[in-house]
Amino acid sequence: MHAFRSARPWFRSPLSLAIASTLACAAAPVLAQERATTAAEEAVTLDSVVVTANKRVENVRDVGASISVIGERQLENMAASSLTDYAALIPGMQVQSSGTPGLTAVSLRGISTLSSGATVATYIDEVPVGSSGIYQSAGSLMLDLLPYDISRVEVLRGPQGTLYGAGAIGGLLKYVTRAPDLVNEEFRAGVGLRSVSDGGQDWNGRVGVSLPLQEDRLGLRMSVARNGLPGYTDNAIDGRRDINDSEQIGGRAALSWDGEMVDVDLGVLHQRIDASDRAVVALEPDTYAPLGGEFEGRNWQRQPFSKELTLTSLSVNWDLGWADLVSATGWSKTKTLDQIDTTVQFGEVADLLLGLPEPGSSNVRYTFDLDKITQEFRFSSKTGGRFEWMAGVFYTKEDAQQNQVAWLGQRDGSPLPAPFDAAFGTLAVIGLPSTYEEVALFANASWRFGERFKIDAGLRQARNDQWFSQNVSEGILAPIGDAPGESTEDVFTWSLSPQFKLAEDTMLYARVATGYQPGGPNVALPGIPPSVDSSMLASYELGLKSQTADRRVQVDVSAFRIEWDDIQVASSFNGIGGLVNGGEASSEGLELASQFRATEALSLGINAAYTKARVKNDFEATVIPQGALDVVLNTGLAGDRMPYVPTLSWAANAEYAFMTAQGLSGQVGGVLRFTGERLSDTTERQRVTAPGDPSTVLQEEVTAPLRLDSYRALDLYAGIGRERWEVRAYVSNVTGEGGYSSMTPAAGALSGTLAYLAAVPIQPRTFGVELDVRF
C-alpha cells in the first residue's frame, strides 16, 4: 500500500443499424451546391479563435506560446465525454486512463507524473481546481470534466508558472464555460444512445437554458446533463460481464451582470462520476497475451470509483478607466472514493505470514476529501497599447483528508477465521490530514517596438506553508501512532518571450519559461526523507505561427527543450512508499499543428509530436534498513525513457460540410490517430548491501518497465439538420483496433511473484447517435 498514490500503482446491437442509416443519409449524393453554414464558416474564421492564455482575451494567432483549442462544435461531433476522447488532437498531450473517467493522468511534452502531484494544472474559467499539495493524488485523479456547456478547452503546452503557479510545470488544461446570453433566449435539449461492440448500451441526455433577465444587463444560464458509459470488460473470477459501466452527471447555473463599469459573473458547477468497476484486462507476463478473453480481467474484489466536485466561482471586473481590476474567487469541494483489488499484492499475507492453508483476498479503499478556497486580485492595463501590463496577488488555502483502509479476508471474500480476523483482518487504517496555504505575487508586461516586434515578460514569487500528519491507528503495514510534519517553501518563476512578425499573418517567437511542482512534508517511513523539495523546470521554445494562401493554410511549428531538476518520484518497498527527489531529466522535441481549407467546404488537418524524454542520471537511492542488511532502491536509471511518452504521435482529420437542395446542412468527418510505443515506468533497481556500505552488493534485482505497443484508431462522425435541430452519428475506433492506455504488474508484496499484467484497453469500437433541438 502506498501512503502516496503514485505513478507506480498495484494492482452487438440494433443501434448499429440506426447509425448506419444516419451515416448513409449524411453521405448521400447531395453534394454542396452552396457553401454550408456550419463547419465551413468556422474554417473561414480560423484566425478569430480567442484564448485567455495570458488572462486577457486575445487572438490565438497573436500569442507567443503553443496553444491548442478544442471548440464546442468539435467536442459535439466527436461525442466527447472524457479527456481520452480528444487528447489525440493536441500535440504532445498524453492521457493515461486507469479504467474509468476521472482515474486519469495527463502529461504534456514528456513531463510525466512520476509522483502523487500533478504536472498539468487545471482551471475552470478563472478558478484553479484540484489540489496543489501532495496528499490528494492529483497526478492520477485529474479533473475529467464532462464537456457539456463548455465553450472550448484550451491547452497550454510548456510551463505556465508565472501566471498559473503551482502544478503548471508541464502546462495548463483550461475549461471555458458558456456564458449566459444577455439578449436572446435559448433552449436546448438533446438525447443520445451509445453501444460498445460486444459490450453494453447506455443513454445520455442534456438540457440547457439561457434567459436574459434584463436585456443587455443581466442573464441566467442553467444546464444539466447525464452521460452513461456502457461497460465492455468482464471478470473471470466471478463471471460478471460488462463490469466497467459508469455514469457522469453534471449541472451548472451561471448568472452574468454587464454593468456600465462593473461586470459580475457568478457560477455554481456540480459534477459526479460513478463507476461500478473499471476496465482492466489480465495479460500473461511473458507474451502479453490475454489470460482469458480479449476484454477479461481477474479481480477478487470489486473496484468502485466515484468523484464529486462542487465549484462556486465569483468573478468581478471593474473598469477603472485607466485599468481593469479583476477579482476571481473560487470555493470548491471534491470528494473521491477509489477502491482497488489488492488480492495479488496482500492476499499472500494469509498463507505466507499467517500460515493459513491458502492465500486470502484483499482490497484497499482510498477516500479523498478536499476543501479549497482561492482568491486572485489583479490589475490589467487596457488592451491595444504599445505597453501592456498586469500585476496581481493570489491566495489559496486547502484543507484535505486522505484515508486508507486495507482489508484482508479469505479468498471467497469471507472474513479470516478466528482469531486471525481480529488481529489481521484490517491490515492498515491510515489517516493523512493535510493543509496547504500559498500566497503569490505576480506581474506580466508586454512591450511593442514598432509594428513587428514585441517582448512579453513575467515573474511570480510564491510562498507555501504546509502541514500534515500520518495517523496510523490499526494494522501491520505501517508503524502505529501519529507523525506530524511541516514545511515552508519560497519559489520564484519567470518567463520571457520575444515575438517578431515576419509578415501580417506570420509570427516567429521564442519563449523561455520556468515552472514548479510543490514539495511538502513527507510520510514517516524508514529511508524516506522528512520532506520533499519542489521540482523545478526550465523550458526553451522556438516557434512559428503562419497563415498563407489567403488564410486557407494554417501551420504552427514549435521546437522545445526542457530541463527538469529535483524530480519528485515515488519510492516503495514491500507495498509501502513515499516520495523522494529523484534527480534530473530532459525532454526535447518538435510539434506540428496544421489546418488546410482545401475548398470552402472541405477542411483537412494534421497534428503531430516527436518527443524524446529521458532520465539524465540514476535517481537518488532510498536506503531502507532491513535488520542486519540494507535495501538500496533506485526507481529510475540514467537513460530511461519517461513513462507513457511515445516518441511519435499524430492525428489527421478531415471534415466536409454540405447543404442539400432541401435546405438541410451537415458535415461528414473523421480522425485517424496514432500513438507510438510507450514504456509503463522507469527502471527499478533493488540492491541488498551490508549496512552502511552500499558498495558491498550482496544481491541485485533489476525490474524493467513494461512495453506498450503502438496503435492506430479511426473515428468517424456525421451530422445533418436545420437551424433548430440536428441528428449526429459517430463510430469511434471503427476497425476495433487493440491497444492499451496503461499497464501495471500485479505481484505479491511479500514473495514478489508476478501473477499477471493489469492492462487498461483503449475504447473498443463504439457506435452512437445524438439528437439535439434548439429554440
Side-chain angles (χ1 to χ4, degrees):
M1 186 171 64
H2 295 272
F4 292 94
R5 297 292 307 280
S6 75
R8 298 179 180 272
W10 318 335
F11 64 84
R12 333 169 227 220
S13 74
L15 179 59
S16 305
L17 184 59
I19 295 170
S21 300
T22 305
L23 287 169
C25 175
V30 287
L31 301 181
Q33 298 160 15
E34 295 182 41
R35 190 173 137 242
T37 60
T38 54
E41 286 187 354
E42 293 178 358
V44 171
T45 57
L46 284 172
D47 61 332
S48 66
V49 175
V50 298
V51 294
T52 52
N54 292 326
K55 299 199 173 184
R56 295 177 181 271
V57 177
E58 298 177 285
N59 187 331
V60 68
R61 312 301 306 160
D62 295 331
V63 180
S66 295
I67 305 173
S68 295
V69 180
I70 309 297
E72 179 183 24
R73 186 64 179 170
Q74 205 166 12
L75 294 170
E76 284 183 349
N77 286 338
M78 300 181 67
S81 59
S82 65
L83 285 167
T84 55
D85 292 327
Y86 56 87
L89 299 177
I90 301 163
M93 181 175 180
Q94 295 298 321
V95 177
Q96 294 81 54
S97 171
S98 292
T100 186
L103 272 174
T104 49
V106 178
S107 63
L108 286 165
R109 289 186 166 176
I111 307 304
S112 302
T113 52
L114 294 172
S115 68
S116 54
T119 60
V120 176
T122 306
Y123 266 63
I124 298 179
D125 295 324
E126 291 274 3
V127 177
V129 291
S131 178
S132 298
I134 56 178
Y135 288 97
Q136 287 291 293
S137 195
S140 58
L141 297 173
M142 284 285 293
L143 176 66
D144 204 344
L145 194 67
L146 176 62
Y148 179 68
D149 221 24
I150 300 295
S151 173
R152 64 185 182 273
V153 179
E154 299 179 11
V155 178
L156 284 69
R157 303 189 293 279
Q160 308 296 324
T162 55
L163 285 179
Y164 293 98
I169 187 171
L172 177 75
L173 172 66
K174 185 173 186 179
Y175 298 94
V176 181
T177 60
R178 292 193 67 189
D181 194 319
L182 304 184
V183 178
N184 301 307
E185 293 184 356
E186 179 190 9
F187 173 81
R188 175 184 175 186
V191 66
L193 295 173
R194 178 184 285 114
S195 176
V196 180
S197 179
D198 296 323
Q201 299 182 3
D202 214 327
W203 65 276
N204 61 75
R206 51 208 173 265
V207 176
V209 179
S210 191
L211 299 172
L213 303 180
Q214 181 179 348
E215 188 173 358
D216 292 329
R217 281 286 184 257
L218 182 64
L220 172 67
R221 184 173 189 85
M222 297 179 293
S223 66
V224 63
R226 187 265 183 192
N227 186 50
L229 297 173
Y232 51 87
T233 59
D234 306 326
N235 186 27
I237 301 302
D238 57 15
R240 289 182 296 136
R241 294 181 58 82
D242 303 334
I243 64 173
N244 64 306
D245 59 307
S246 60
E247 179 184 62
Q248 301 165 294
I249 294 179
R252 175 175 171 258
L255 194 65
S256 182
W257 168 261
D258 185 359
E260 293 290 345
M261 297 180 61
V262 178
D263 299 337
V264 180
D265 292 287
L266 174 65
V268 178
L269 179 146
H270 180 82
Q271 174 167 298
R272 187 177 79 241
I273 300 172
D274 283 305
S276 54
D277 218 304
R278 63 199 66 191
V280 178
V281 176
L283 304 181
E284 204 281 325
D286 293 326
T287 65
Y288 287 40
L291 285 175
E294 182 182 3
F295 294 102
E296 188 175 78
R298 295 193 172 190
N299 299 318
W300 285 262
Q301 296 286 317
R302 294 185 180 236
Q303 302 188 99
F305 173 80
S306 66
K307 183 170 185 174
E308 192 169 359
L309 167 69
T310 302
L311 170 67
T312 302
S313 59
L314 175 64
S315 177
V316 180
N317 191 324
W318 185 9
D319 185 350
L320 301 175
W322 56 276
D324 292 322
L325 171 60
V326 175
S327 169
T329 309
W331 305 270
S332 63
K333 183 174 183 62
T334 309
K335 301 184 69 174
T336 307
L337 180 150
D338 183 19
Q339 180 172 303
I340 60 177
D341 175 34
T342 54
T343 296
V344 171
Q345 290 79 10
F346 294 136
E348 61 185 23
V349 170
D351 59 330
L352 298 184
L353 189 62
L354 305 182
L356 294 176
E358 64 176 2
S361 178
S362 175
N363 67 59
V364 175
R365 173 169 289 213
Y366 294 88
T367 57
F368 302 89
D369 292 287
L370 173 66
D371 291 289
K372 184 182 181 85
I373 298 174
T374 63
Q375 176 62 59
E376 179 172 303
F377 294 105
R378 66 177 183 268
F379 288 92
S380 301
S381 65
K382 298 299 183 179
T383 300
R386 291 195 174 274
F387 177 69
E388 297 176 355
W389 56 268
M390 179 185 298
V393 59
F394 173 83
Y395 171 81
T396 186
K397 174 69 181 297
E398 298 179 12
D399 291 298
Q401 176 74 41
Q402 180 191 153
N403 293 313
Q404 305 176 13
V405 179
W407 176 86
L408 176 66
Q410 298 190 75
R411 185 53 67 101
D412 63 2
S414 62
L416 294 173
F420 297 105
D421 184 36
F424 301 101
T426 301
L427 292 175
V429 176
I430 302 175
L432 300 172
S434 62
T435 63
Y436 179 96
E437 189 171 16
E438 179 182 338
V439 177
L441 300 173
F442 64 91
N444 196 72
S446 174
W447 293 268
R448 297 181 185 274
F449 300 91
E451 298 298 322
R452 295 198 171 199
F453 187 62
K454 183 176 78 166
I455 294 180
D456 288 340
L459 54 85
R460 188 185 190 98
Q461 179 68 50
R463 179 185 181 90
N464 68 73
D465 295 284
Q466 299 184 59
W467 171 90
F468 115 107
S469 184
Q470 176 183 308
N471 304 331
V472 183
S473 56
E474 294 183 54
I476 61 173
L477 297 182
I480 303 295
D482 298 344
E486 295 181 343
S487 72
T488 297
E489 197 168 32
D490 294 296
V491 182
F492 177 75
T493 54
W494 58 274
S495 66
L496 181 66
S497 177
Q499 302 156 36
F500 184 74
K501 285 274 191 178
L502 300 175
E504 181 182 356
D505 295 317
T506 301
M507 179 178 70
L508 179 69
Y509 71 89
R511 186 172 186 264
V512 183
T514 62
Y516 75 102
Q517 182 184 38
N522 219 339
V523 294
L525 292 172
I528 300 297
S531 64
V532 60
D533 295 332
S534 289
S535 296
M536 300 297 297
L537 178 150
S539 172
Y540 309 89
E541 178 179 350
L542 182 65
L544 178 72
K545 295 185 175 184
S546 178
Q547 287 183 326
T548 60
D550 294 329
R551 297 184 176 177
R552 290 178 178 270
V553 178
Q554 178 176 298
V555 178
D556 293 357
V557 181
S558 59
F560 64 88
R561 180 173 177 84
I562 296 172
E563 299 288 345
W564 193 5
D565 297 325
D566 289 331
I567 302 172
Q568 294 173 17
V569 297
S571 180
S572 63
F573 181 74
N574 284 348
I576 303 295
L579 294 182
V580 299
N581 288 107
E584 301 177 353
S586 66
S587 181
E588 56 189 14
L590 296 170
E591 293 171 347
L592 167 69
S594 63
Q595 198 74 14
F596 170 49
R597 185 162 57 85
T599 69
E600 291 186 339
L602 178 62
S603 178
L604 307 172
I606 186 166
N607 302 316
Y610 169 84
T611 309
K612 183 180 179 182
R614 296 286 190 273
V615 175
K616 295 176 67 175
N617 61 309
D618 291 356
F619 283 167
E620 189 72 22
T622 303
V623 181
I624 306 164
Q626 292 288 299
L629 300 170
D630 284 346
V631 174
V632 180
L633 184 66
N634 293 90
T635 56
L637 302 181
D640 280 351
R641 288 173 55 183
M642 295 297 281
Y644 293 109
V645 178
T647 302
L648 179 64
S649 60
W650 54 263
N653 62 82
E655 182 171 293
Y656 183 79
F658 61 86
M659 179 173 288
T660 72
Q662 294 76 30
L664 299 176
S665 62
Q667 66 284 327
V668 180
V671 178
L672 178 62
R673 46 194 166 92
F674 171 82
T675 299
E677 178 189 87
R678 293 139 292 145
L679 297 180
S680 67
D681 216 327
T682 49
T683 304
E684 181 176 281
R685 183 178 65 199
Q686 183 174 297
R687 289 173 169 170
V688 178
T689 69
D693 183 13
S695 62
T696 304
V697 179
L698 305 177
Q699 181 182 336
E700 180 177 276
E701 181 179 349
V702 177
T703 303
L706 305 173
R707 188 175 300 276
L708 289 78
D709 289 337
S710 62
Y711 65 87
R712 293 182 181 86
L714 174 65
D715 306 324
L716 298 177
Y717 61 85
I720 192 167
R722 292 185 185 273
E723 181 180 354
R724 293 188 174 182
W725 64 267
E726 182 181 28
V727 177
R728 298 186 304 277
Y730 61 91
V731 184
S732 302
N733 194 359
V734 174
T735 61
E737 176 81 6
Y740 297 107
S741 177
S742 64
M743 190 182 297
T744 56
L750 298 181
S751 67
T753 302
L754 181 59
Y756 60 84
L757 307 179
V760 176
I762 64 172
Q763 183 88 6
R765 184 187 300 110
T766 301
F767 308 89
V769 62
E770 306 284 335
L771 170 65
D772 275 292
V773 294
R774 295 177 174 86
F775 299 98

